[in-house]
Amino acid sequence: MSPTARRRRIPRRAVVTLALLLSVGVVVTGLVQAPPPPSPPSPPPAPARDSLGPRLAAVMGKPAYRHAQWGLFQQNPRTGKVVQSRFADQFFIPGSTAKLFSVSGAWHTLGGNHRFVTPVYAVGQRRHATLRGDLVLVAQGDLTLGGRTRRNGTVAYTPIDHTYANDVPGATLTPENPLAGLDQLARQVRAAGIRRVDGDVVVDARLFRPDPDLDPTPTPLIVNDNVIDLLTSPGRAAGSPATLEVRPKVAPYRVTSSVRTVAAGKPTAIAVRTSPDGTRIELSGTIAAGSAPVLRISPVKDPNAFGRTALIEALRRAGVQVTANAVGPRPAARLPRSYRGLPAVARYTSPPYRAYAKLILKVSHNLGANLGMCLMATTTGSTDCEDGFPVLAAFLDAAKVDRKAVQLADGRGGNPADRTTPRALAQILTYWQRTGEARNFREALPVLGVDGTLADSCRHCPSRGKVFAKTGTAVGGDALNDRLAVGAETIAGYLETGKGRYDVFFAGVNGAATPTAAIQGVLTIADDVADAAALLQQKSGG
């Protein structure tokens, strides 16, 4: 009996929202703010202005934060000395800083060296170069399946990930081929001596069941983050059609574009519409002449059918003929009960999990963070992603994190129920400092002024390269006041205080608001939070 069968389920979508997640430097519109938690009856006194220092006090004391609540916590993890504390034991909406818990749990449970090995089995009879039967790809929950892997084995990312492209200006693509893993598997099938498959290609996605309460919803087979990339470039002159690059190109997905080039300086506005099954995609709108290419994405509605077609097409490119129609649903009824004794004719091996953790933390990869919950569940033999939460709970207990000071209903920090205290975030950060993976974990975080979601913050300040931290933002529309309600803008990580010395810290504000509905106001608040982190670092003498 699984752990889920022994306990009462608690709905994780008790509130219907459009909750999406933001990060410092990665701004997504259309979010609904979860209300900040009520203050305790007798909150601890805020530190005196002198203890903060005049510059930090000035940031936190801006008129824009009159109705908001700032939290601070800074501690030496070796001695336990608390340097700064402001509402350290009160719940805050964490935004993506919640990923520090979920990614830590997956990293610990799977192991930093864990590699996902995705096999393809030959099910049937071989006669010379012909397989009379099926090729079965057994999905293993590989986040990128080679689609971001560089030649040196590291995982590529950009400051603003393509998964944010419909909401965030400036999202870009990595140069790697999103079908690289499938192409490699196809070449291995041919190298195994198979030239013809008189049968079908099947995706075995029984590793875990997709959980719609996790948004975005992880699937055992993921190709290109389960999206189609649509890159529009302006034509040569105003009035000319824009050009379009689509990747990956997989049947039966078809894309049409009516985007036109307008004069330089005119607005760029590109909309994406899709058919109910997602296979017909239409782009419309305008793009300014001389402007940079604009990226949009369209979701893959059936990742298993998409992956099956993509693998059949890859096999054909590799010189392996498949008699089955490439387009169609996944023929799950053809899956064998067991693969014992069946030959594996291909295997794709991923980079180590710590490389995936770095991707998730650097760009605030929501799908990857939620996937970690499902992967933790599979280690117990369960196919129910919700069974990942007891695994995470046991890890947090062992890591000496006050679990009652953390509330999570997903892995990404996007559920309205998600809460944490500054001290609890410091506790998970302190845990890593006491392990052999301390440096790997620290360097997996965005670095102030250098990379990830902090790449554009404090690029020329004294703290550049000395703050390693996960960022988070939750923003919603305030229709009453025609502005944006910033439920959370947070940052948590490490401050370099000397050579080889790092304090753990949290800085964040809940309940702020922008002056207008313009998204620039959110960036201003994000800059203030990044500045707060930089000032804490400078005050510590690092």
Side-chain angles (χ1 to χ4, degrees):
M1 181 179 292
S2 72
T4 300
R6 294 194 296 268
R7 70 180 193 279
R8 183 175 64 87
R9 279 183 177 272
I10 300 174
R12 285 181 279 121
R13 270 195 181 174
V15 181
V16 178
T17 75
L18 296 177
L20 293 174
L21 202 49
L22 295 164
S23 301
V24 175
V26 178
V27 182
V28 182
T29 58
L31 308 180
V32 173
Q33 173 191 1
S39 300
S42 301
R49 187 179 181 92
D50 289 343
S51 69
L52 293 175
R55 294 171 65 193
L56 183 54
V59 170
M60 296 169 58
K62 287 183 178 181
Y65 303 121
R66 184 163 66 108
H67 301 296
Q69 178 170 290
W70 277 85
L72 289 176
F73 191 74
Q74 181 183 348
Q75 185 178 34
N76 183 317
R78 292 183 295 110
T79 66
K81 178 183 177 182
V82 175
V83 181
Q84 290 284 354
S85 182
R86 180 186 180 97
F87 301 116
D89 297 300
Q90 185 168 339
F91 271 142
F92 280 78
I93 300 170
S96 273
T97 57
K99 290 182 174 74
L100 291 169
F101 298 115
S102 60
V103 172
S104 293
W107 191 328
H108 170 81
T109 302
L110 299 173
N113 289 320
H114 176 79
R115 295 177 186 266
F116 300 89
V117 181
T118 302
V120 174
Y121 288 95
V123 182
Q125 299 296 318
R126 288 278 298 272
R127 183 173 176 83
H128 304 303
T130 298
L131 171 66
R132 292 178 178 174
D134 301 332
L135 289 175
V136 182
L137 182 152
V138 184
Q140 299 295 309
D142 187 328
L143 179 57
T144 71
L145 199 61
R148 292 179 186 250
T149 306
R150 301 184 182 102
R151 290 186 177 182
N152 64 3
T154 60
V155 175
Y157 58 88
T158 62
I160 304 178
D161 193 64
H162 75 142
T163 55
Y164 286 102
N166 288 356
D167 306 290
V168 184
T172 54
L173 295 170
T174 61
E176 285 69 30
N177 175 11
L179 299 177
L182 295 179
D183 283 341
Q184 186 178 127
L185 287 169
R187 290 192 296 269
Q188 289 182 31
V189 170
R190 179 178 170 85
I194 297 175
R195 301 290 187 274
R196 178 183 173 89
V197 179
D198 283 339
D200 215 323
V201 171
V202 192
V203 171
D204 185 340
R206 294 177 290 189
L207 182 67
F208 60 81
R209 299 189 301 275
D211 183 347
D213 283 341
L214 297 175
D215 181 20
T217 302
T219 51
L221 179 65
I222 298 171
V223 177
N224 199 44
D225 297 310
N226 292 341
V227 299
I228 305 292
D229 295 315
L230 311 162
L231 189 65
T232 299
S233 298
R236 293 183 176 180
S240 61
T243 61
L244 178 65
E245 177 186 349
V246 179
R247 73 169 218 185
K249 292 184 174 69
V250 176
Y253 284 74
R254 295 180 183 175
V255 184
T256 58
S257 175
S258 60
V259 178
R260 306 290 296 180
T261 307
V262 295
K266 293 287 186 179
T268 292
I270 300 175
V272 179
R273 293 191 305 170
T274 63
S275 60
D277 66 357
T279 64
R280 297 296 180 268
I281 304 168
E282 297 179 5
L283 280 75
S284 60
T286 59
I287 185 169
S291 65
V294 174
L295 182 63
R296 295 288 184 266
I297 57 173
S298 184
V300 170
K301 299 294 181 66
D302 188 342
N304 295 322
F306 181 85
R308 171 186 174 271
T309 299
L311 180 54
I312 291 175
E313 292 177 346
L315 287 163
R316 290 173 178 171
R317 288 193 299 271
V320 179
Q321 183 182 357
V322 180
T323 59
N325 191 336
V327 176
R330 173 177 63 106
R334 300 174 70 100
L335 290 172
R337 291 185 177 181
S338 169
Y339 296 96
R340 182 175 298 175
L342 294 176
V345 293
R347 288 185 175 89
Y348 177 78
T349 302
S350 78
Y353 180 77
R354 68 170 62 87
Y356 283 171
K358 186 174 185 177
L359 165 68
I360 296 166
L361 295 171
K362 289 287 189 185
V363 308
S364 205
H365 196 284
N366 292 325
L367 180 63
N370 280 343
L371 176 63
M373 302 307 306
C374 301
L375 294 175
M376 282 187 280
T378 65
T379 65
T380 70
S382 173
T383 60
D384 187 340
C385 293
E386 186 161 332
D387 286 336
F389 287 93
V391 177
L392 177 58
F395 161 69
L396 293 179
D397 288 344
K400 300 190 181 335
V401 175
D402 180 3
R403 181 154 49 91
K404 299 302 182 183
V406 183
Q407 295 178 177
L408 287 179
D410 62 6
R412 56 172 280 215
N415 190 285
D418 293 345
R419 296 290 189 276
T420 185
T421 67
R423 194 185 302 273
L425 283 165
Q427 288 168 344
I428 191 62
L429 293 162
T430 297
Y431 160 79
W432 283 107
Q433 285 295 89
R434 296 169 179 168
T435 72
E437 293 269 33
R439 179 176 178 178
N440 288 328
F441 185 82
R442 183 175 66 250
E443 293 181 353
L445 299 173
V447 182
L448 187 67
V450 177
D451 65 12
T453 56
L454 287 173
D456 293 328
S457 300
C458 205
R459 296 183 71 177
H460 304 290
C461 78
S463 296
R464 182 182 186 274
K466 298 180 180 180
V467 177
F468 303 76
K470 184 72 195 76
T471 58
T473 311
V475 179
D478 177 4
L480 180 66
N481 297 292
D482 191 24
R483 62 183 183 179
L484 297 175
V486 184
E489 192 67 63
T490 56
I491 185 170
Y494 302 98
L495 306 171
E496 185 176 332
T497 59
K499 187 175 182 180
R501 299 194 304 274
Y502 301 90
D503 279 3
V504 296
F505 85 99
F506 166 90
V509 61
N510 275 190
T514 61
T516 69
I519 202 67
Q520 185 58 42
V522 180
L523 292 176
T524 299
I525 296 172
D527 286 341
D528 283 346
V529 172
D531 286 348
L535 291 169
L536 287 175
Q537 189 278 326
Q538 292 165 32
K539 196 171 187 296
S540 300

